[in-house]
């Protein structure tokens, strides 16, 4: 996970400190940094960090370095690493959520979680992980298979639910997902569930009909939280997905999946920096327990450890 970015940063730290070594006797000037600017930018962009994020990191670093006096090489390298770590932490901290799923049950019962996103990002798998997580904590959870569109979607969720021991409310293929959700919620209210998690069909944000369809589901479900699933591997496109879903449906929080498959790290960092939404969890594998709460520390450790 994140090897490419980690290597790029390590190289950058030693490159900057080596380049600054000859000017030991005086303070670092803007001119010294300007000479290095393109090189640092290039190494970050090469590790798939979005251009504007890379610029933000370097601008911060420049501000910190200008006026500093350089000490021994190792000391300089440590200083640079420290400053990198601070700016990365600041960027990553923005994604930390001020909401948590469990608190939703305090204001509504059942608490309704709507999960949405484009095709194949990991919605159904993440729902199984979430359902298991909440059920393990002692909550009564029901999952709704409102993907009545893709062949096999109902069966896929049914297998997950059987594996984790959580009940499923299924719909018929081709039926209106809004109607499935309506019936499911009626059932859940009667039965006394704490959480209802709604799985929806994958849809491209450019598909007007399918975006209208999910608007209808939202109207019927009145979810307590609308979670957008984003695939860490999609990089910049994930930011566009977040903007479009937010504009059309409203996004309360994000879960970023497939971090384990992100050999680079740059795309994940760029998504976290770019989406301007709280990130609840990270998907870090295909097993049910491969879901970790998002924190700046977690990502920072993966990038800089
Ligand atoms: N490595 C890895 N794979 C994941 C993760 N989350 C989901 N996947 C895999 O991604 C693939 C698609 O997952 P689904 O859960 O079916 O995705 P979906 O968004 O429901 O797909 P549609 O319903 O077709 O839109 C599956 O092979 C999952 O095992 C993750 O965190 N890490
Ligand atoms: Mg699915």
């Amino acid at each position: 996970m994140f090897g490419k970015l980690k290597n790029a940063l390590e190289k950058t730290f030693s490159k900057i400190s080596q380049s600054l070594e000859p000017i030991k006797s005086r303070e670092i000037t803007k001119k010294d940094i300007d000479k290095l600017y393109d090189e640092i930018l290039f190494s970050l962009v090469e590790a798939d960090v979005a251009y504007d994020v890379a610029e933000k990191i370097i601008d911060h670093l420049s501000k910190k370095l200008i006026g500093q006096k350089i000490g021994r090489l190792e000391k300089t390298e440590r200083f640079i690493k420290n400053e990198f770590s601070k700016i990365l932490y600041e960027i990553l901290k923005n994604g930390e959520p001020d909401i948590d799923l469990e608190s939703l049950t305090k204001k509504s019962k059942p608490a309704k979680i709507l999960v949405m996103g484009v095709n194949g990002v990991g919605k159904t798998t993440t729902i199984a992980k979430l359902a298991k997580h909440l059920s393990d904590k002692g909550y009564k959870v029901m999952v709704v298979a409102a993907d009545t569109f893709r062949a096999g979607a109902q069966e896929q969720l049914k297998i997950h639910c059987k594996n984790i021991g959580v009940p499923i409310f299924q719909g018929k293929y081709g039926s209106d997902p809004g109607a499935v959700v309506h019936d499911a919620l009626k059932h859940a209210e009667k039965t006394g569930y704490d959480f209802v998690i709604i799985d929806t069909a994958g849809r491209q944000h450019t598909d007007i009909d399918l975006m209208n369809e999910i608007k209808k589901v939202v109207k019927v479900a009145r979810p307590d939280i609308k979670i957008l699933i984003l695939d860490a591997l999609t990089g910049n496109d994930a930011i566009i997905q977040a903007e479009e879903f937010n504009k059309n449906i409203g996004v309360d929080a994000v879960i970023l999946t497939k971090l384990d498959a992100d050999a680079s790290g740059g795309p994940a960092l760029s998504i976290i920096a770019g989406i301007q939404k709280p990130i609840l969890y990270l998907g870090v594998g295909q097993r049910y327990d491969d879901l970790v709460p998002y924190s700046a520390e977690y990502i920072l450790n993966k990038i800089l450890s």
Side-chain angles (χ1 to χ4, degrees), residues 43-104:
S43 70
L44 289 176
V45 170
E46 215 182 26
D48 307 315
V49 176
Y51 199 88
D52 55 333
V53 179
E55 275 188 330
K56 190 175 168 183
I57 293 172
I58 304 170
D59 286 343
H60 169 95
L61 189 69
S62 311
K63 275 192 206 119
K64 294 290 172 179
L65 283 174
I66 293 168
Q68 291 286 334
K69 253 200 150 147
I70 290 302
R72 279 178 294 118
L73 200 59
E74 320 85 75
K75 223 173 121 196
T76 310
E77 203 163 326
R78 211 174 324 125
F79 178 81
I80 291 162
K81 189 169 177 178
N82 207 14
E83 286 308 324
F84 251 98
S85 160
K86 276 191 212 154
I87 176 67
L88 285 175
Y89 185 79
E90 198 183 289
I91 291 172
L92 295 167
K93 192 86 184 156
N94 277 332
E96 285 189 355
D98 49 3
I99 29 175
D100 74 290
L101 293 182
E102 285 180 70
S103 68
L104 296 177

Side-chain angles (χ1 to χ4, degrees), residues 123-124 147 150 153 156 199-200 202:
K123 294 177 291 301
T124 306
D147 181 353
R150 180 173 64 77
Q156 182 194 5
D199 189 16
T200 60

Side-chain angles (χ1 to χ4, degrees), residues 13-290:
F13 300 149
S14 75
K15 176 82 205 165
I16 302 172
S17 38
Q18 269 166 24
S19 308
L20 295 176
E21 175 75 0
I23 59 161
K24 228 176 197 166
S25 54
R26 58 167 173 85
E27 288 178 356
I28 300 170
T29 63
K30 186 169 178 304
K31 220 169 148 188
D32 298 321
I33 299 297
D34 285 348
K35 270 193 212 152
L36 284 165
Y37 199 100
D38 286 347
E39 201 166 342
I40 313 172
L41 187 73
F42 183 70
S43 70
L44 289 176
V45 170
E46 215 182 26
D48 307 315
V49 176
Y51 199 88
D52 55 333
V53 179
E55 275 188 330
K56 190 175 168 183
I57 293 172
I58 304 170
D59 286 343
H60 169 95
L61 189 69
S62 311
K63 275 192 206 119
K64 294 290 172 179
L65 283 174
I66 293 168
Q68 291 286 334
K69 253 200 150 147
I70 290 302
R72 279 178 294 118
L73 200 59
E74 320 85 75
K75 223 173 121 196
T76 310
E77 203 163 326
R78 211 174 324 125
F79 178 81
I80 291 162
K81 189 169 177 178
N82 207 14
E83 286 308 324
F84 251 98
S85 160
K86 276 191 212 154
I87 176 67
L88 285 175
Y89 185 79
E90 198 183 289
I91 291 172
L92 295 167
K93 192 86 184 156
N94 277 332
E96 285 189 355
D98 49 3
I99 29 175
D100 74 290
L101 293 182
E102 285 180 70
S103 68
L104 296 177
T105 48
K106 290 192 193 112
K107 70 175 174 86
S108 62
K109 202 175 153 148
K112 291 162 280 178
I113 302 172
L114 182 84
V115 175
M116 57 191 181
V118 308
N119 311 72
V121 287
K123 294 177 291 301
T124 306
T125 312
T126 304
I127 285 171
K129 292 176 182 177
L130 279 177
K132 180 171 186 298
H133 171 70
L134 292 168
S135 159
D136 284 350
K137 287 203 150 183
Y139 293 104
K140 211 172 158 194
V141 184
M142 183 179 97
V143 168
V144 184
D147 181 353
T148 56
F149 183 71
R150 180 173 64 77
Q154 299 275 322
E155 290 77 11
Q156 182 194 5
L157 193 54
K158 198 173 166 184
I159 293 167
H160 282 311
C161 286
K162 196 168 165 233
N163 291 343
I164 59 173
V166 162
I168 177 171
F169 191 101
Q170 285 185 259
K172 282 203 180 72
Y173 284 111
S175 66
D176 176 7
V180 176
V181 169
H182 174 265
D183 293 348
L185 291 177
K186 247 166 97 183
H187 171 73
E189 275 156 25
K190 260 194 277 164
T191 322
Y193 282 99
D194 299 308
F195 285 100
V196 172
I197 312 179
I198 304 164
D199 189 16
T200 60
R203 65 201 71 230
Q204 297 300 317
H205 47 278
T206 44
D207 189 324
I208 296 166
D209 287 344
L210 286 180
M211 288 308 259
N212 283 335
E213 182 198 77
I214 199 164
K215 273 185 200 163
K216 207 171 136 195
V217 173
V218 169
K219 240 184 202 162
V220 174
R222 291 197 278 125
D224 296 283
I225 188 164
K226 298 186 285 295
I227 300 179
L228 179 69
I229 309 292
L230 295 174
D231 176 340
L233 302 172
T234 52
N236 198 41
D237 196 52
I239 297 169
I240 297 164
Q241 289 166 25
E243 280 166 2
E244 288 300 315
F245 269 87
N246 193 42
K247 203 166 68 192
N248 284 292
I249 322 290
V251 172
D252 301 311
V254 161
I255 294 177
L256 198 57
T257 62
K258 310 191 193 182
L259 260 85
D260 54 302
D262 182 0
S264 174
L269 176 64
S270 308
I271 293 170
I272 297 164
I275 50 170
Q276 322 272 359
K277 288 285 171 193
I279 303 164
L280 282 178
Y281 292 97
L282 302 168
V284 292
Q286 288 174 286
R287 291 166 311 167
Y288 296 121
D289 291 329
D290 292 332

